[in-house]
Structure formats: structure tokens, C-alpha cells
Amino acid sequence: MKKIGVLTSGGDSPGMNPAIRAVVRKAIYHNVEVYGIYGGYTGLISGKIKKLELGSVGDIIHRGGTMLQTARCPEFKTPEGQQKGIEQLKAHGIEGLVVIGGDGSYRGARALTQQGYPCVGVPGTIDNDIPGTELTIGFDTALNTVIDALDKIRDTATSHERTFVIEVMGRDAGDIALYAGLAGGAETILIPEEGFDMAEIAERLRKGQERGKKHSIIIVAEGVCSGSEFAQQLKEATNFDTRVSVLGHIQRGGSPTAADRVLASRLGARAVELLIDGKGGRAVGMESNRVVDYDIVEALERKHVLDLDLVKLSKELSI
Ligand code: ADP
């Protein structure tokens, strides 16, 4: 391949910029031209396509968000929308496409692949919920944002001897809640992969108080319920008065951490290697700290699994 395209799609994540940079620089290093598609699949359908040079991706490695912009595009879920996208790519002479995004974006890449157009998926989402990779680009940065907020909330929780409920993102996955809860020393972590037992939570809070704990932090993944819903249930069950903090979109922004920049660089570069080798229909990911690639169709048939050993550990450490 001598001309490839790159787009970012779906929810943005910190680290998409270093991933774009890696795609562009790696391709140009191998004498392949790169075209940026602006605004995800919406921009693909409408032909918002521009050639990227080495300098186009200068000074973005440390920036959150995505210089290519992102979008949600319902039209791309239809075969007609996908055909329009393929026509645009062909009109520009682009022979393969790197799609950086979450599992929705992967479905778009799968659809293109199934219509005979080579695509490679790069996992960009803070939720860490893409099957086939142990890490997604943006997860580490989001975790650090949550930890920063959690540490600050802990200060006020201690001063006022309060119980705080902190709602974090993650869609249907509990990864952000689990890792942030473990790293931030939360007393209770609620994840969608497990139900919760209010009696057990109440007992744990009471025991903590008895042994002189000045505060309690409960992390609720958005896939379980809203923080305020949980606080209400807790109040009804225990009369415990809590404060609720919904961290929201701050989790999606900010300068990518070193770990995310390195991850994005490795994964973006591998995606280009695959296209240069003429391999479409693949997705890249991490397995035991090695870059791997796998069939995008098969990956989407699998389900992301949370590390159950970590769930167990978080419980052992928060007694
Ligand atoms: P994310 O990639 O972060 O999971 P979405 O689920 O919103 O975000 O998906 C992003 C975009 O991917 C959608 O707006 C749509 O354009 C495209 N997409 C999602 N599902 C499909 C599908 N089944 N077929 C084709 N395109 C899809």
C-alpha cells in the first residue's frame, strides 16, 4: 500500500493524538502517504479528507482529545453509508484505513472489511473494554484523573468524617472503577460484572466506623447505577448520609500519561505495518506487554473480561 487513511471515531480518549502521530510518522518513514479523515465516519462519508505531512502531527503528542475530531455517525451503520465511505476512500486513492476508537468504531471497521476494504482497528477508549487487548489507549490517563480526584475527595471525607460515593465512567465494564478503587484505596468498589449486596456493604461501613475510620469511599461504576441512585438506596437501607460526586467527562480529557503515549505509539505503528503488509481486517492490542494483532471479526464476537484476581485482591485489601 502506498496511500493509507486514518480516522478517530466514537468517544474520544487521551492518547488518540499520539496514536495519530505514530500512524503518520511510521507511514511516512516507510514512504507511504497518509490522509487524515476529519470527524470520524461522518467525515468519511462527506469526504473531509486531507493529506497529512510530518509537521501536521507536530506538537500533539501531549494533547488530549483528537486533532482529527471525532463523531458518532448513525448513517455509517447502514450498508449505503459504508459504500459512500468506500467510494470516498477510492476517489482519493486510499488503499487501507486505520480506525482508532472503541468497539462501535471497530464494528464500522469490520463492516468495511466485510465489504472488501482493508481496515485495521486501534483500541482508543478510556473504558478498557475492547476484547482481545489487555489495555486500551486512554485507560491509564483516565485512571490517573480518577485517582487525583479521589485523593482530593479523601481529604475532605476525612476532615468531615463522611462517606463519599464516587461515580466513574466505564460503560458496561468495571475496569476504571476496579483499578481506580484499588489504586485509590476505596473501601467498596461496585462493578457491573458483579451484583452488590447492600447488607454486606452496610456491615462493612459499620465495622469501619467501629474501628475508628474517619471516612469511607465507595466507587460506583456507571454500568451499575448512578451514584445518586446508590446513595439513595444506601440511605434507605442504613440511614447513612453520604455525599455523591460524579466525575463525568473530566475522565475523558487531559494530557495523556507516559504509559498511554508509549502504548499509542506502539499500537499506531503496528497498525501501519499491517497495512503495508497488505493485511486488513485486523485489530491491534497488547498481550503480556507485547503488541499483538488479531482478526477484528473474531475479536468482536468475544467479550471483554475483567481481571477477576484483581477483584479478589481489592476485596482482601479493603477489609
Ligand atoms: P465507540 O467507538 O467509542 O464505541 P460508538 O459505539 O458510538 O463509539 O461508535 C462510533 C461509531 O461507529 C458510530 O457512530 C457508527 O458510526 C460506527 N458504528 C457503530 N456500530 C456500527 C455498526 N454495527 N456498523 C457500522 N458502523 C458502526
Side-chain angles (χ1 to χ4, degrees), residues 45-212:
I45 290 176
S46 64
K48 274 198 187 157
I49 299 174
K50 217 174 92 187
K51 190 171 175 208
L52 299 174
E53 310 289 352
L54 286 176
S56 315
V57 291
D59 204 26
I60 63 164
I61 195 163
H62 61 302
R63 294 187 201 280
T66 157
M67 66 162 274
L68 290 178
Q69 307 291 113
T70 182
R72 296 209 154 87
C73 175
E75 189 186 353
F76 204 73
K77 292 186 181 173
T78 65
E80 297 76 33
Q82 294 150 17
Q83 266 313 316
K84 282 189 203 165
I86 293 176
E87 278 159 26
Q88 288 286 2
L89 290 163
K90 288 193 173 153
H92 286 81
I94 301 168
E95 300 157 282
L97 180 65
V98 177
V99 171
I100 306 168
D103 62 346
S105 306
Y106 270 35
R107 283 192 192 93
R110 177 180 64 186
L112 290 182
T113 298
Q114 286 169 338
Q115 301 216 25
Y117 191 88
C119 280
V120 176
V122 175
T125 165
I126 63 165
D127 302 327
N128 208 38
D129 61 350
I130 303 207
T133 183
E134 288 163 2
L135 280 175
T136 60
I137 298 166
F139 176 58
D140 185 67
T141 307
L143 272 186
N144 279 285
T145 302
V146 175
I147 299 299
D148 185 48
L150 211 146
D151 290 348
K152 287 174 176 151
I153 289 170
R154 180 189 283 279
D155 289 344
T156 171
T158 310
S159 305
H160 286 274
E161 304 200 7
R162 264 184 185 141
T163 296
F164 264 85
V165 174
I166 303 176
E167 180 192 317
V168 299
M169 284 182 165
R171 295 211 296 191
D172 297 328
D175 292 57
I176 294 180
L178 175 62
Y179 282 74
L182 192 54
E187 277 72 26
T188 303
I189 304 168
L190 305 186
I191 50 174
E193 290 83 352
E194 280 193 327
F196 66 85
D197 177 354
M198 190 55 92
E200 191 252 330
I201 292 170
E203 181 59 19
R204 186 194 278 267
L205 288 174
R206 263 189 226 105
K207 274 200 182 140
Q209 275 198 337
E210 275 165 28
R211 72 174 172 89

